[in-house]
PDB file of all heavy atoms in Angstrom:
ATOM      1  N   PRO A   1      18.709  13.579   4.143  1.00 89.00           N
ATOM      2  CA  PRO A   1      18.412  14.232   2.856  1.00 89.00           C
ATOM      3  C   PRO A   1      17.908  13.225   1.824  1.00 89.00           C
ATOM      4  O   PRO A   1      18.385  12.091   1.746  1.00 89.00           O
ATOM      5  CB  PRO A   1      19.770  14.813   2.438  1.00 89.00           C
ATOM      6  CG  PRO A   1      20.541  14.951   3.710  1.00 89.00           C
ATOM      7  CD  PRO A   1      20.097  13.809   4.576  1.00 89.00           C
ATOM      8  N   ASP A   2      16.937  13.666   1.027  1.00 84.00           N
ATOM      9  CA  ASP A   2      16.325  12.763   0.046  1.00 84.00           C
ATOM     10  C   ASP A   2      17.351  12.196  -0.925  1.00 84.00           C
ATOM     11  O   ASP A   2      17.301  11.011  -1.264  1.00 84.00           O
ATOM     12  CB  ASP A   2      15.236  13.507  -0.737  1.00 84.00           C
ATOM     13  CG  ASP A   2      14.031  13.822   0.132  1.00 84.00           C
ATOM     14  OD1 ASP A   2      13.883  13.200   1.194  1.00 84.00           O
ATOM     15  OD2 ASP A   2      13.235  14.690  -0.261  1.00 84.00           O
ATOM     16  N   ASP A   3      18.289  13.026  -1.381  1.00 85.00           N
ATOM     17  CA  ASP A   3      19.196  12.575  -2.439  1.00 85.00           C
ATOM     18  C   ASP A   3      20.175  11.507  -1.951  1.00 85.00           C
ATOM     19  O   ASP A   3      20.757  10.780  -2.749  1.00 85.00           O
ATOM     20  CB  ASP A   3      19.949  13.761  -3.051  1.00 85.00           C
ATOM     21  CG  ASP A   3      20.730  14.564  -2.011  1.00 85.00           C
ATOM     22  OD1 ASP A   3      20.720  14.192  -0.826  1.00 85.00           O
ATOM     23  OD2 ASP A   3      21.344  15.583  -2.405  1.00 85.00           O
ATOM     24  N   THR A   4      20.359  11.379  -0.629  1.00 86.00           N
ATOM     25  CA  THR A   4      21.281  10.357  -0.137  1.00 86.00           C
ATOM     26  C   THR A   4      20.694   8.949  -0.235  1.00 86.00           C
ATOM     27  O   THR A   4      21.421   7.964  -0.155  1.00 86.00           O
ATOM     28  CB  THR A   4      21.671  10.627   1.325  1.00 86.00           C
ATOM     29  OG1 THR A   4      20.482  10.632   2.128  1.00 86.00           O
ATOM     30  CG2 THR A   4      22.379  11.964   1.462  1.00 86.00           C
ATOM     31  N   LEU A   5      19.377   8.863  -0.414  1.00 87.00           N
ATOM     32  CA  LEU A   5      18.739   7.553  -0.549  1.00 87.00           C
ATOM     33  C   LEU A   5      18.412   7.202  -1.990  1.00 87.00           C
ATOM     34  O   LEU A   5      17.900   6.122  -2.261  1.00 87.00           O
ATOM     35  CB  LEU A   5      17.447   7.513   0.279  1.00 87.00           C
ATOM     36  CG  LEU A   5      17.623   7.459   1.797  1.00 87.00           C
ATOM     37  CD1 LEU A   5      16.270   7.560   2.489  1.00 87.00           C
ATOM     38  CD2 LEU A   5      18.331   6.181   2.217  1.00 87.00           C
ATOM     39  N   ASP A   6      18.678   8.108  -2.902  1.00 79.00           N
ATOM     40  CA  ASP A   6      18.374   7.845  -4.311  1.00 79.00           C
ATOM     41  C   ASP A   6      19.093   6.590  -4.793  1.00 79.00           C
ATOM     42  O   ASP A   6      20.310   6.436  -4.617  1.00 79.00           O
ATOM     43  CB  ASP A   6      18.803   9.034  -5.178  1.00 79.00           C
ATOM     44  CG  ASP A   6      17.919  10.244  -4.983  1.00 79.00           C
ATOM     45  OD1 ASP A   6      16.841  10.084  -4.388  1.00 79.00           O
ATOM     46  OD2 ASP A   6      18.314  11.359  -5.409  1.00 79.00           O
ATOM     47  N   GLY A   7      18.324   5.693  -5.375  1.00 80.00           N
ATOM     48  CA  GLY A   7      18.902   4.480  -5.943  1.00 80.00           C
ATOM     49  C   GLY A   7      19.184   3.380  -4.944  1.00 80.00           C
ATOM     50  O   GLY A   7      19.667   2.308  -5.339  1.00 80.00           O
ATOM     51  N   THR A   8      18.905   3.606  -3.651  1.00 85.00           N
ATOM     52  CA  THR A   8      19.213   2.583  -2.656  1.00 85.00           C
ATOM     53  C   THR A   8      17.961   1.876  -2.128  1.00 85.00           C
ATOM     54  O   THR A   8      18.068   0.771  -1.602  1.00 85.00           O
ATOM     55  CB  THR A   8      19.964   3.182  -1.453  1.00 85.00           C
ATOM     56  OG1 THR A   8      19.117   4.143  -0.804  1.00 85.00           O
ATOM     57  CG2 THR A   8      21.242   3.874  -1.905  1.00 85.00           C
ATOM     58  N   LEU A   9      16.801   2.496  -2.243  1.00 88.00           N
ATOM     59  CA  LEU A   9      15.589   1.879  -1.704  1.00 88.00           C
ATOM     60  C   LEU A   9      15.265   0.589  -2.457  1.00 88.00           C
ATOM     61  O   LEU A   9      15.237   0.577  -3.686  1.00 88.00           O
ATOM     62  CB  LEU A   9      14.404   2.839  -1.811  1.00 88.00           C
ATOM     63  CG  LEU A   9      14.419   4.074  -0.916  1.00 88.00           C
ATOM     64  CD1 LEU A   9      13.208   4.942  -1.216  1.00 88.00           C
ATOM     65  CD2 LEU A   9      14.455   3.689   0.544  1.00 88.00           C
ATOM     66  N   PRO A  10      15.011  -0.491  -1.748  1.00 87.00           N
ATOM     67  CA  PRO A  10      14.618  -1.738  -2.425  1.00 87.00           C
ATOM     68  C   PRO A  10      13.278  -1.564  -3.136  1.00 87.00           C
ATOM     69  O   PRO A  10      12.475  -0.689  -2.785  1.00 87.00           O
ATOM     70  CB  PRO A  10      14.490  -2.739  -1.271  1.00 87.00           C
ATOM     71  CG  PRO A  10      15.206  -2.125  -0.120  1.00 87.00           C
ATOM     72  CD  PRO A  10      15.098  -0.649  -0.292  1.00 87.00           C
ATOM     73  N   ASP A  11      13.042  -2.405  -4.127  1.00 87.00           N
ATOM     74  CA  ASP A  11      11.732  -2.413  -4.775  1.00 87.00           C
ATOM     75  C   ASP A  11      10.664  -2.768  -3.753  1.00 87.00           C
ATOM     76  O   ASP A  11      10.839  -3.698  -2.957  1.00 87.00           O
ATOM     77  CB  ASP A  11      11.701  -3.426  -5.923  1.00 87.00           C
ATOM     78  CG  ASP A  11      12.435  -2.930  -7.155  1.00 87.00           C
ATOM     79  OD1 ASP A  11      12.655  -1.711  -7.253  1.00 87.00           O
ATOM     80  OD2 ASP A  11      12.771  -3.764  -8.006  1.00 87.00           O
ATOM     81  N   TRP A  12       9.569  -2.001  -3.769  1.00 93.00           N
ATOM     82  CA  TRP A  12       8.451  -2.351  -2.899  1.00 93.00           C
ATOM     83  C   TRP A  12       7.696  -3.512  -3.537  1.00 93.00           C
ATOM     84  O   TRP A  12       7.643  -3.651  -4.754  1.00 93.00           O
ATOM     85  CB  TRP A  12       7.529  -1.152  -2.705  1.00 93.00           C
ATOM     86  CG  TRP A  12       6.659  -1.284  -1.491  1.00 93.00           C
ATOM     87  CD1 TRP A  12       5.335  -1.582  -1.459  1.00 93.00           C
ATOM     88  CD2 TRP A  12       7.062  -1.124  -0.130  1.00 93.00           C
ATOM     89  NE1 TRP A  12       4.887  -1.629  -0.157  1.00 93.00           N
ATOM     90  CE2 TRP A  12       5.928  -1.350   0.683  1.00 93.00           C
ATOM     91  CE3 TRP A  12       8.293  -0.824   0.479  1.00 93.00           C
ATOM     92  CZ2 TRP A  12       5.972  -1.274   2.072  1.00 93.00           C
ATOM     93  CZ3 TRP A  12       8.333  -0.753   1.863  1.00 93.00           C
ATOM     94  CH2 TRP A  12       7.184  -0.971   2.638  1.00 93.00           C
ATOM     95  N   HIS A  13       7.112  -4.347  -2.714  1.00 93.00           N
ATOM     96  CA  HIS A  13       6.576  -5.616  -3.180  1.00 93.00           C
ATOM     97  C   HIS A  13       5.167  -5.525  -3.740  1.00 93.00           C
ATOM     98  O   HIS A  13       4.813  -6.277  -4.655  1.00 93.00           O
ATOM     99  CB  HIS A  13       6.593  -6.627  -2.034  1.00 93.00           C
ATOM    100  CG  HIS A  13       5.951  -6.111  -0.786  1.00 93.00           C
ATOM    101  ND1 HIS A  13       6.579  -5.200   0.028  1.00 93.00           N
ATOM    102  CD2 HIS A  13       4.741  -6.341  -0.229  1.00 93.00           C
ATOM    103  CE1 HIS A  13       5.773  -4.900   1.043  1.00 93.00           C
ATOM    104  NE2 HIS A  13       4.651  -5.566   0.901  1.00 93.00           N
ATOM    105  N   LEU A  14       4.313  -4.604  -3.215  1.00 95.00           N
ATOM    106  CA  LEU A  14       2.895  -4.665  -3.576  1.00 95.00           C
ATOM    107  C   LEU A  14       2.236  -3.297  -3.463  1.00 95.00           C
ATOM    108  O   LEU A  14       2.470  -2.568  -2.498  1.00 95.00           O
ATOM    109  CB  LEU A  14       2.163  -5.651  -2.648  1.00 95.00           C
ATOM    110  CG  LEU A  14       0.662  -5.846  -2.871  1.00 95.00           C
ATOM    111  CD1 LEU A  14       0.384  -6.457  -4.234  1.00 95.00           C
ATOM    112  CD2 LEU A  14       0.081  -6.739  -1.766  1.00 95.00           C
ATOM    113  N   ALA A  15       1.442  -2.960  -4.461  1.00 97.00           N
ATOM    114  CA  ALA A  15       0.573  -1.781  -4.431  1.00 97.00           C
ATOM    115  C   ALA A  15      -0.829  -2.226  -4.816  1.00 97.00           C
ATOM    116  O   ALA A  15      -1.005  -2.989  -5.760  1.00 97.00           O
ATOM    117  CB  ALA A  15       1.075  -0.708  -5.392  1.00 97.00           C
ATOM    118  N   THR A  16      -1.829  -1.749  -4.073  1.00 97.00           N
ATOM    119  CA  THR A  16      -3.219  -2.111  -4.352  1.00 97.00           C
ATOM    120  C   THR A  16      -4.001  -0.873  -4.748  1.00 97.00           C
ATOM    121  O   THR A  16      -3.946   0.154  -4.068  1.00 97.00           O
ATOM    122  CB  THR A  16      -3.881  -2.759  -3.119  1.00 97.00           C
ATOM    123  OG1 THR A  16      -3.115  -3.902  -2.721  1.00 97.00           O
ATOM    124  CG2 THR A  16      -5.297  -3.212  -3.446  1.00 97.00           C
ATOM    125  N   HIS A  17      -4.726  -0.981  -5.843  1.00 97.00           N
ATOM    126  CA  HIS A  17      -5.532   0.122  -6.368  1.00 97.00           C
ATOM    127  C   HIS A  17      -6.982  -0.158  -6.012  1.00 97.00           C
ATOM    128  O   HIS A  17      -7.532  -1.198  -6.394  1.00 97.00           O
ATOM    129  CB  HIS A  17      -5.343   0.233  -7.882  1.00 97.00           C
ATOM    130  CG  HIS A  17      -3.904   0.366  -8.282  1.00 97.00           C
ATOM    131  ND1 HIS A  17      -3.325   1.570  -8.600  1.00 97.00           N
ATOM    132  CD2 HIS A  17      -2.909  -0.569  -8.381  1.00 97.00           C
ATOM    133  CE1 HIS A  17      -2.045   1.384  -8.891  1.00 97.00           C
ATOM    134  NE2 HIS A  17      -1.775   0.088  -8.764  1.00 97.00           N
ATOM    135  N   VAL A  18      -7.613   0.756  -5.290  1.00 96.00           N
ATOM    136  CA  VAL A  18      -8.931   0.482  -4.726  1.00 96.00           C
ATOM    137  C   VAL A  18      -9.950   1.516  -5.190  1.00 96.00           C
ATOM    138  O   VAL A  18      -9.614   2.643  -5.547  1.00 96.00           O
ATOM    139  CB  VAL A  18      -8.876   0.477  -3.177  1.00 96.00           C
ATOM    140  CG1 VAL A  18      -7.904  -0.566  -2.672  1.00 96.00           C
ATOM    141  CG2 VAL A  18      -8.502   1.857  -2.644  1.00 96.00           C
ATOM    142  N   HIS A  19     -11.187   1.083  -5.181  1.00 95.00           N
ATOM    143  CA  HIS A  19     -12.336   1.979  -5.331  1.00 95.00           C
ATOM    144  C   HIS A  19     -12.878   2.166  -3.920  1.00 95.00           C
ATOM    145  O   HIS A  19     -13.602   1.300  -3.407  1.00 95.00           O
ATOM    146  CB  HIS A  19     -13.382   1.363  -6.259  1.00 95.00           C
ATOM    147  CG  HIS A  19     -14.557   2.247  -6.512  1.00 95.00           C
ATOM    148  ND1 HIS A  19     -14.460   3.437  -7.191  1.00 95.00           N
ATOM    149  CD2 HIS A  19     -15.861   2.125  -6.155  1.00 95.00           C
ATOM    150  CE1 HIS A  19     -15.655   4.001  -7.255  1.00 95.00           C
ATOM    151  NE2 HIS A  19     -16.523   3.229  -6.625  1.00 95.00           N
ATOM    152  N   PRO A  20     -12.537   3.264  -3.229  1.00 95.00           N
ATOM    153  CA  PRO A  20     -12.795   3.356  -1.791  1.00 95.00           C
ATOM    154  C   PRO A  20     -14.267   3.560  -1.459  1.00 95.00           C
ATOM    155  O   PRO A  20     -15.016   4.187  -2.205  1.00 95.00           O
ATOM    156  CB  PRO A  20     -11.971   4.576  -1.368  1.00 95.00           C
ATOM    157  CG  PRO A  20     -11.877   5.412  -2.595  1.00 95.00           C
ATOM    158  CD  PRO A  20     -11.847   4.454  -3.753  1.00 95.00           C
ATOM    159  N   SER A  21     -14.658   3.003  -0.327  1.00 95.00           N
ATOM    160  CA  SER A  21     -15.992   3.206   0.211  1.00 95.00           C
ATOM    161  C   SER A  21     -15.948   2.827   1.680  1.00 95.00           C
ATOM    162  O   SER A  21     -15.023   2.140   2.139  1.00 95.00           O
ATOM    163  CB  SER A  21     -17.025   2.345  -0.520  1.00 95.00           C
ATOM    164  OG  SER A  21     -16.811   0.971  -0.246  1.00 95.00           O
ATOM    165  N   ILE A  22     -16.951   3.275   2.427  1.00 95.00           N
ATOM    166  CA  ILE A  22     -17.029   2.907   3.840  1.00 95.00           C
ATOM    167  C   ILE A  22     -17.066   1.393   3.987  1.00 95.00           C
ATOM    168  O   ILE A  22     -16.392   0.795   4.836  1.00 95.00           O
ATOM    169  CB  ILE A  22     -18.279   3.534   4.490  1.00 95.00           C
ATOM    170  CG1 ILE A  22     -18.149   5.067   4.544  1.00 95.00           C
ATOM    171  CG2 ILE A  22     -18.503   2.958   5.883  1.00 95.00           C
ATOM    172  CD1 ILE A  22     -17.112   5.571   5.500  1.00 95.00           C
ATOM    173  N   GLU A  23     -17.844   0.735   3.128  1.00 92.00           N
ATOM    174  CA  GLU A  23     -17.991  -0.715   3.223  1.00 92.00           C
ATOM    175  C   GLU A  23     -16.664  -1.434   2.969  1.00 92.00           C
ATOM    176  O   GLU A  23     -16.379  -2.461   3.597  1.00 92.00           O
ATOM    177  CB  GLU A  23     -19.047  -1.209   2.223  1.00 92.00           C
ATOM    178  CG  GLU A  23     -20.474  -0.760   2.530  1.00 92.00           C
ATOM    179  CD  GLU A  23     -20.695   0.722   2.228  1.00 92.00           C
ATOM    180  OE1 GLU A  23     -19.918   1.297   1.414  1.00 92.00           O
ATOM    181  OE2 GLU A  23     -21.626   1.308   2.803  1.00 92.00           O
ATOM    182  N   ARG A  24     -15.854  -0.909   2.053  1.00 93.00           N
ATOM    183  CA  ARG A  24     -14.606  -1.591   1.707  1.00 93.00           C
ATOM    184  C   ARG A  24     -13.498  -1.345   2.724  1.00 93.00           C
ATOM    185  O   ARG A  24     -12.436  -1.966   2.639  1.00 93.00           O
ATOM    186  CB  ARG A  24     -14.141  -1.169   0.313  1.00 93.00           C
ATOM    187  CG  ARG A  24     -15.022  -1.743  -0.792  1.00 93.00           C
ATOM    188  CD  ARG A  24     -14.373  -1.642  -2.147  1.00 93.00           C
ATOM    189  NE  ARG A  24     -15.155  -2.378  -3.133  1.00 93.00           N
ATOM    190  CZ  ARG A  24     -14.705  -2.712  -4.335  1.00 93.00           C
ATOM    191  NH1 ARG A  24     -13.485  -2.365  -4.699  1.00 93.00           N
ATOM    192  NH2 ARG A  24     -15.470  -3.384  -5.170  1.00 93.00           N
ATOM    193  N   ALA A  25     -13.726  -0.464   3.684  1.00 95.00           N
ATOM    194  CA  ALA A  25     -12.717  -0.249   4.720  1.00 95.00           C
ATOM    195  C   ALA A  25     -12.443  -1.529   5.497  1.00 95.00           C
ATOM    196  O   ALA A  25     -11.347  -1.712   6.039  1.00 95.00           O
ATOM    197  CB  ALA A  25     -13.169   0.855   5.667  1.00 95.00           C
ATOM    198  N   ARG A  26     -13.398  -2.444   5.525  1.00 94.00           N
ATOM    199  CA  ARG A  26     -13.201  -3.695   6.259  1.00 94.00           C
ATOM    200  C   ARG A  26     -12.105  -4.555   5.636  1.00 94.00           C
ATOM    201  O   ARG A  26     -11.603  -5.496   6.275  1.00 94.00           O
ATOM    202  CB  ARG A  26     -14.512  -4.477   6.318  1.00 94.00           C
ATOM    203  CG  ARG A  26     -15.054  -4.882   4.974  1.00 94.00           C
ATOM    204  CD  ARG A  26     -16.435  -5.496   5.069  1.00 94.00           C
ATOM    205  NE  ARG A  26     -16.415  -6.786   5.723  1.00 94.00           N
ATOM    206  CZ  ARG A  26     -17.296  -7.749   5.449  1.00 94.00           C
ATOM    207  NH1 ARG A  26     -18.242  -7.559   4.559  1.00 94.00           N
ATOM    208  NH2 ARG A  26     -17.224  -8.896   6.073  1.00 94.00           N
ATOM    209  N   TYR A  27     -11.725  -4.259   4.391  1.00 94.00           N
ATOM    210  CA  TYR A  27     -10.694  -5.062   3.736  1.00 94.00           C
ATOM    211  C   TYR A  27      -9.297  -4.460   3.860  1.00 94.00           C
ATOM    212  O   TYR A  27      -8.319  -5.091   3.464  1.00 94.00           O
ATOM    213  CB  TYR A  27     -11.058  -5.271   2.261  1.00 94.00           C
ATOM    214  CG  TYR A  27     -12.397  -5.943   2.133  1.00 94.00           C
ATOM    215  CD1 TYR A  27     -13.493  -5.277   1.601  1.00 94.00           C
ATOM    216  CD2 TYR A  27     -12.585  -7.238   2.603  1.00 94.00           C
ATOM    217  CE1 TYR A  27     -14.740  -5.883   1.518  1.00 94.00           C
ATOM    218  CE2 TYR A  27     -13.825  -7.846   2.538  1.00 94.00           C
ATOM    219  CZ  TYR A  27     -14.898  -7.168   1.999  1.00 94.00           C
ATOM    220  OH  TYR A  27     -16.119  -7.770   1.945  1.00 94.00           O
ATOM    221  N   LEU A  28      -9.195  -3.250   4.414  1.00 96.00           N
ATOM    222  CA  LEU A  28      -7.871  -2.650   4.585  1.00 96.00           C
ATOM    223  C   LEU A  28      -6.954  -3.485   5.487  1.00 96.00           C
ATOM    224  O   LEU A  28      -5.745  -3.576   5.207  1.00 96.00           O
ATOM    225  CB  LEU A  28      -7.999  -1.228   5.121  1.00 96.00           C
ATOM    226  CG  LEU A  28      -8.396  -0.170   4.087  1.00 96.00           C
ATOM    227  CD1 LEU A  28      -8.691   1.161   4.759  1.00 96.00           C
ATOM    228  CD2 LEU A  28      -7.310  -0.001   3.032  1.00 96.00           C
ATOM    229  N   PRO A  29      -7.434  -4.094   6.574  1.00 96.00           N
ATOM    230  CA  PRO A  29      -6.514  -4.919   7.375  1.00 96.00           C
ATOM    231  C   PRO A  29      -5.832  -6.020   6.575  1.00 96.00           C
ATOM    232  O   PRO A  29      -4.671  -6.357   6.843  1.00 96.00           O
ATOM    233  CB  PRO A  29      -7.428  -5.503   8.467  1.00 96.00           C
ATOM    234  CG  PRO A  29      -8.518  -4.498   8.614  1.00 96.00           C
ATOM    235  CD  PRO A  29      -8.757  -3.985   7.222  1.00 96.00           C
ATOM    236  N   PHE A  30      -6.499  -6.582   5.576  1.00 95.00           N
ATOM    237  CA  PHE A  30      -5.881  -7.623   4.759  1.00 95.00           C
ATOM    238  C   PHE A  30      -4.758  -7.040   3.901  1.00 95.00           C
ATOM    239  O   PHE A  30      -3.737  -7.691   3.678  1.00 95.00           O
ATOM    240  CB  PHE A  30      -6.934  -8.283   3.866  1.00 95.00           C
ATOM    241  CG  PHE A  30      -8.023  -8.979   4.628  1.00 95.00           C
ATOM    242  CD1 PHE A  30      -9.234  -8.361   4.865  1.00 95.00           C
ATOM    243  CD2 PHE A  30      -7.824 -10.264   5.121  1.00 95.00           C
ATOM    244  CE1 PHE A  30     -10.248  -8.994   5.562  1.00 95.00           C
ATOM    245  CE2 PHE A  30      -8.826 -10.915   5.829  1.00 95.00           C
ATOM    246  CZ  PHE A  30     -10.038 -10.280   6.056  1.00 95.00           C
ATOM    247  N   LEU A  31      -4.944  -5.814   3.405  1.00 96.00           N
ATOM    248  CA  LEU A  31      -3.899  -5.171   2.617  1.00 96.00           C
ATOM    249  C   LEU A  31      -2.719  -4.786   3.501  1.00 96.00           C
ATOM    250  O   LEU A  31      -1.553  -4.952   3.118  1.00 96.00           O
ATOM    251  CB  LEU A  31      -4.457  -3.924   1.919  1.00 96.00           C
ATOM    252  CG  LEU A  31      -5.674  -4.129   1.015  1.00 96.00           C
ATOM    253  CD1 LEU A  31      -6.039  -2.821   0.320  1.00 96.00           C
ATOM    254  CD2 LEU A  31      -5.422  -5.226  -0.009  1.00 96.00           C
ATOM    255  N   LEU A  32      -3.011  -4.268   4.692  1.00 96.00           N
ATOM    256  CA  LEU A  32      -1.938  -3.837   5.584  1.00 96.00           C
ATOM    257  C   LEU A  32      -1.161  -5.030   6.128  1.00 96.00           C
ATOM    258  O   LEU A  32       0.020  -4.904   6.462  1.00 96.00           O
ATOM    259  CB  LEU A  32      -2.512  -3.007   6.724  1.00 96.00           C
ATOM    260  CG  LEU A  32      -3.289  -1.756   6.307  1.00 96.00           C
ATOM    261  CD1 LEU A  32      -3.665  -0.926   7.526  1.00 96.00           C
ATOM    262  CD2 LEU A  32      -2.491  -0.917   5.322  1.00 96.00           C
ATOM    263  N   ASP A  33      -1.798  -6.176   6.227  1.00 94.00           N
ATOM    264  CA  ASP A  33      -1.089  -7.382   6.651  1.00 94.00           C
ATOM    265  C   ASP A  33       0.073  -7.683   5.720  1.00 94.00           C
ATOM    266  O   ASP A  33       1.095  -8.231   6.144  1.00 94.00           O
ATOM    267  CB  ASP A  33      -2.060  -8.560   6.690  1.00 94.00           C
ATOM    268  CG  ASP A  33      -1.394  -9.850   7.130  1.00 94.00           C
ATOM    269  OD1 ASP A  33      -0.708  -9.835   8.172  1.00 94.00           O
ATOM    270  OD2 ASP A  33      -1.560 -10.873   6.450  1.00 94.00           O
ATOM    271  N   LYS A  34      -0.057  -7.296   4.450  1.00 94.00           N
ATOM    272  CA  LYS A  34       1.015  -7.501   3.473  1.00 94.00           C
ATOM    273  C   LYS A  34       1.830  -6.231   3.254  1.00 94.00           C
ATOM    274  O   LYS A  34       2.659  -6.170   2.341  1.00 94.00           O
ATOM    275  CB  LYS A  34       0.419  -7.961   2.139  1.00 94.00           C
ATOM    276  CG  LYS A  34      -0.405  -9.238   2.240  1.00 94.00           C
ATOM    277  CD  LYS A  34      -1.019  -9.594   0.904  1.00 94.00           C
ATOM    278  CE  LYS A  34      -1.873 -10.838   1.014  1.00 94.00           C
ATOM    279  NZ  LYS A  34      -3.068 -10.653   1.846  1.00 94.00           N
ATOM    280  N   LEU A  35       1.578  -5.200   4.064  1.00 96.00           N
ATOM    281  CA  LEU A  35       2.239  -3.903   3.900  1.00 96.00           C
ATOM    282  C   LEU A  35       2.085  -3.390   2.468  1.00 96.00           C
ATOM    283  O   LEU A  35       3.039  -2.891   1.857  1.00 96.00           O
ATOM    284  CB  LEU A  35       3.723  -3.983   4.279  1.00 96.00           C
ATOM    285  CG  LEU A  35       4.055  -3.852   5.754  1.00 96.00           C
ATOM    286  CD1 LEU A  35       5.564  -3.838   5.955  1.00 96.00           C
ATOM    287  CD2 LEU A  35       3.441  -2.614   6.384  1.00 96.00           C
ATOM    288  N   SER A  36       0.891  -3.519   1.931  1.00 97.00           N
ATOM    289  CA  SER A  36       0.633  -3.000   0.590  1.00 97.00           C
ATOM    290  C   SER A  36       0.472  -1.491   0.637  1.00 97.00           C
ATOM    291  O   SER A  36      -0.139  -0.940   1.558  1.00 97.00           O
ATOM    292  CB  SER A  36      -0.642  -3.623   0.021  1.00 97.00           C
ATOM    293  OG  SER A  36      -0.966  -3.050  -1.231  1.00 97.00           O
ATOM    294  N   LEU A  37       1.032  -0.812  -0.346  1.00 97.00           N
ATOM    295  CA  LEU A  37       0.685   0.583  -0.572  1.00 97.00           C
ATOM    296  C   LEU A  37      -0.743   0.634  -1.109  1.00 97.00           C
ATOM    297  O   LEU A  37      -1.215  -0.326  -1.723  1.00 97.00           O
ATOM    298  CB  LEU A  37       1.644   1.222  -1.575  1.00 97.00           C
ATOM    299  CG  LEU A  37       3.133   1.193  -1.198  1.00 97.00           C
ATOM    300  CD1 LEU A  37       3.979   1.707  -2.362  1.00 97.00           C
ATOM    301  CD2 LEU A  37       3.392   2.012   0.051  1.00 97.00           C
ATOM    302  N   VAL A  38      -1.433   1.748  -0.895  1.00 97.00           N
ATOM    303  CA  VAL A  38      -2.813   1.888  -1.360  1.00 97.00           C
ATOM    304  C   VAL A  38      -2.925   3.114  -2.247  1.00 97.00           C
ATOM    305  O   VAL A  38      -2.508   4.215  -1.865  1.00 97.00           O
ATOM    306  CB  VAL A  38      -3.794   2.003  -0.178  1.00 97.00           C
ATOM    307  CG1 VAL A  38      -5.217   2.253  -0.680  1.00 97.00           C
ATOM    308  CG2 VAL A  38      -3.761   0.728   0.671  1.00 97.00           C
ATOM    309  N   TYR A  39      -3.469   2.908  -3.440  1.00 97.00           N
ATOM    310  CA  TYR A  39      -3.715   3.984  -4.402  1.00 97.00           C
ATOM    311  C   TYR A  39      -5.197   3.987  -4.768  1.00 97.00           C
ATOM    312  O   TYR A  39      -5.853   2.945  -4.731  1.00 97.00           O
ATOM    313  CB  TYR A  39      -2.889   3.782  -5.679  1.00 97.00           C
ATOM    314  CG  TYR A  39      -1.403   3.915  -5.498  1.00 97.00           C
ATOM    315  CD1 TYR A  39      -0.635   2.833  -5.067  1.00 97.00           C
ATOM    316  CD2 TYR A  39      -0.747   5.119  -5.767  1.00 97.00           C
ATOM    317  CE1 TYR A  39       0.740   2.952  -4.901  1.00 97.00           C
ATOM    318  CE2 TYR A  39       0.633   5.243  -5.604  1.00 97.00           C
ATOM    319  CZ  TYR A  39       1.365   4.154  -5.170  1.00 97.00           C
ATOM    320  OH  TYR A  39       2.720   4.281  -5.001  1.00 97.00           O
TER     321      TYR A  39
END
């Protein structure tokens, strides 16, 4: 249940905000190497 994890999740380390395009997909492996969230 969602409420059982409230307040226990550690802070996530990194979020990356991108302007997406086919060409920029080549840079996703670098973001995923750091387990970055993508917005």
Side-chain angles (χ1 to χ4, degrees):
D2 290 342
D3 57 2
T4 59
L5 288 175
D6 289 346
T8 63
L9 291 177
D11 284 342
W12 200 255
H13 51 285
L14 180 64
T16 303
H17 305 260
V18 301
H19 183 66
S21 68
I22 293 291
E23 293 73 22
R24 289 195 171 195
R26 62 187 291 209
Y27 302 113
L28 282 172
F30 298 98
L31 304 184
L32 302 187
D33 180 50
K34 302 177 182 66
L35 277 185
S36 175
L37 302 173
V38 176
Y39 293 85

